[in-house]
């Protein structure tokens, strides 16, 4: 295959982009030099095509799926439905799972909530999908997610809003909106979510289920559409902590393709570690996680009361201050805005310069579609893109560099708190589900509805600490979540404490009827 050659106009545009001033002779000579270099691109295309000719995954497998009719999808939570099983017998045999639609399931359409991805069909399963199928799970379909996974609410998906099963006039939270709704409604037992700012834990809290963001790098991200590799996470969304632990056992461990992962992760049976004995563990109530501007007092009070109950099962409970927690949302905003603009948008999802398994077909598809469909992006994407482009071109990436250089200090502030306490607790979201707003996802006036929920969740995405949201109870009939945070790669303690709280409560609240 021969890659397209540039015209003289293409070269002039490239020169203008870099600030080069070329006379006519220079333009002619550089055009010849560029054309010569592109011969190597031709060779790479040929080598790649030859390799793929011998790959069983070159063409998407013929898997049956359907786009659900509105009457069969009252919450708007399914993107496509399916019934995919490997025939394997394992720990998830007989269990149904929904896959967030930023994660590749070969042969099933992927939209990632966005017109810019719509129409793409992956040719290979994501690593997490491979592991679920090998463990005996049945994939029931793809769950709707927000536009490029960039919203804490559930109204930005191009397929329409996702409704909360506790009250269909309200949001589920985002961006793993469909996964949260489907598990809460009992349409599936298990779901996969993705979390870059709270996108597993926010919908878990607002839908009254369990949502785990594992330690960064514990679960391979290979085959999921990235936002920014330093904050990309995948994790389970379930009805019980035991099921979250079971899914983590299946999902965790290096796959050899994801540069986010340390090579030293060993297999571990997280569910077997849920002994119920948490005697002597220290639970720290993080003071700065409460009383945010706009916090709902009933949620703060509920979570504080829930945390104090750990004394009933032999834990010690105290309060601790991490003053930096109040500033972490600003550090996150810089990392997310500049990083997503650079990698997800201008880098067509994957960016360049790191080891790993890329998806060149998805990158090319998105590169075309994001320009053609640009006006159809939700306002969350447009606002981030405009700010990120301005920042990177005006400041040269300086702010992103400063934010990343702050990270060792900021991570250490939590680590010091976790030296004093085994886990930290706070509200997952400082409120409950809001009514779904009226208007278009492109309406810039709706931006406040999509943000503001991540003040407690986003810090753990940039520090990498594991964090789980468990239902703390109901406030005016709507679920509220308690977030439990632990040391990096000590996910088992986070799960043990969460399971003990679940047992203490008897069970987590279920939707009436």
């Amino acid at each position: 295959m021969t890659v397209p050659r540039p015209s003289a106009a293409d070269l002039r545009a490239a020169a203008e982009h870099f600030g080069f001033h070329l006379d006519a002779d220079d333009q002619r000579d550089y055009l010849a030099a560029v054309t010569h270099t592109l011969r190597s691109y031709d060779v790479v295309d040929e080598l790649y095509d030859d390799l793929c000719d011998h790959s069983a995954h070159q063409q998407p497998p013929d898997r049956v799926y359907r786009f659900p009719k509105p009457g069969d999808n009252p919450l708007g939570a399914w993107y496509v439905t399916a019934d995919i099983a490997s025939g394997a017998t394992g720990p998830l045999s007989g269990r149904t799972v929904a896959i967030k639609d930023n994660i590749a399931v070969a042969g099933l359409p992927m939209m990632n909530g966005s017109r810019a991805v719509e129409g793409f069909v992956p040719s290979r399963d994501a690593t997490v999908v491979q592991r679920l199928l090998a463990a005996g799970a049945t994939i029931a379909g793809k769950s709707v997610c927000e536009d490029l996974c960039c919203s804490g609410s559930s109204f930005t998906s191009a397929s329409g809003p996702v409704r909360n099963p506790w009250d269909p006039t309200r949001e589920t939270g985002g961006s793993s909106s469909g996964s949260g709704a489907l598990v809460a409604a009992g349409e599936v037992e298990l779901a996969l979510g993705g979390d870059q700012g709270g996108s597993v834990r926010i919908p878990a809290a607002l839908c009254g289920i369990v949502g785990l963001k594992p330690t960064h790098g514990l679960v391979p991200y290979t085959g999921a559409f990235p936002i920014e590799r330093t904050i990309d996470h995948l994790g389970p969304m379930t009805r019980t902590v035991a099921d979250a632990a079971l899914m983590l056992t299946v999902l965790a461990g290096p796959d050899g393709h994801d540069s986010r992962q340390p090579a030293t992760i060993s297999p571990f049976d997280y569910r077997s570690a849920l002994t119920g004995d948490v005697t002597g563990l220290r639970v720290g109530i993080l003071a700065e996680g409460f009383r945010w501007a706009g916090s709902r007092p009933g949620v703060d009070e509920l979570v504080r009361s829930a945390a104090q109950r750990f004394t009933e099962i032999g834990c010690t409970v105290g309060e601790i201050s991490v003053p930096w927690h109040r500033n972490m949302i600003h550090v996150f905003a810089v990392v997310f805005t500049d990083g997503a603009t650079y990698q997800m948008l201008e880098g067509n999802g994957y960016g360049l310069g790191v080891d790993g398994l890329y998806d060149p077909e998805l990158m090319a598809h998105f590169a075309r579609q994001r320009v053609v469909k640009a006006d159809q992006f939700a306002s969350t994407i447009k606002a981030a893109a405009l700010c990120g482009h301005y920042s990177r071109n005006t400041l040269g990436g300086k702010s992103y560099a400063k934010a990343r250089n702050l990270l060792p200090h900021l991570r250490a502030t939590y680590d010091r708190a976790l030296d004093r306490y085994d886990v930290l607790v706070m509200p997952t979201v400082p409120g409950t589900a809001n009514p779904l707003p009226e208007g278009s996802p492109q309406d810039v006036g709706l931006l406040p509805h999509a943000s503001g929920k991540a003040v407690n969740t986003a810090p753990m995405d940039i520090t990498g600490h594991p964090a789980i949201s468990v239902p703390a109870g109901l406030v005016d009939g709507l679920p509220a979540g308690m977030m439990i945070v632990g040391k990096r790669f000590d996910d088992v303690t986070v799960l043990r404490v969460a399971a003990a709280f679940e047992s203490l409560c008897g069970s987590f609240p279920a939707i009436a009827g």
Side-chain angles (χ1 to χ4, degrees), residues 103 339 343 393 396 473:
I103 302 169
Q343 181 183 326
N393 283 274

Side-chain angles (χ1 to χ4, degrees), residues 128 192-196 200-201 211-221 230-237 244-245 247-249 251-253 261 265 270 457 460-469 484-492 494-495:
V128 288
L192 271 181
D195 196 311
Q196 281 95 355
V200 163
R201 292 159 290 156
L212 171 65
K213 182 203 78 68
T215 299
H216 186 255
L218 183 61
V219 173
Y221 201 84
T230 67
I231 57 174
D232 288 332
H233 300 74
L234 298 176
M237 302 175 72
M247 283 188 74
L248 185 62
T249 300
L251 299 172
Q261 296 194 278
I265 304 169
Y270 291 91
T457 56
M460 304 309 122
D461 287 282
I462 55 175
T463 67
H465 291 89
I468 192 170
S469 179
I484 303 169
V485 178
K487 299 178 180 72
R488 283 168 294 150
F489 295 102
D490 189 19
D491 299 61
V492 66
V494 170
L495 286 161

Side-chain angles (χ1 to χ4, degrees), residues 139-153:
I139 293 174
K142 306 290 294 294
S143 57
V144 169
C145 60
E146 299 309 296
D147 194 345
L148 298 185
C149 298
C150 293
S151 173
S153 187

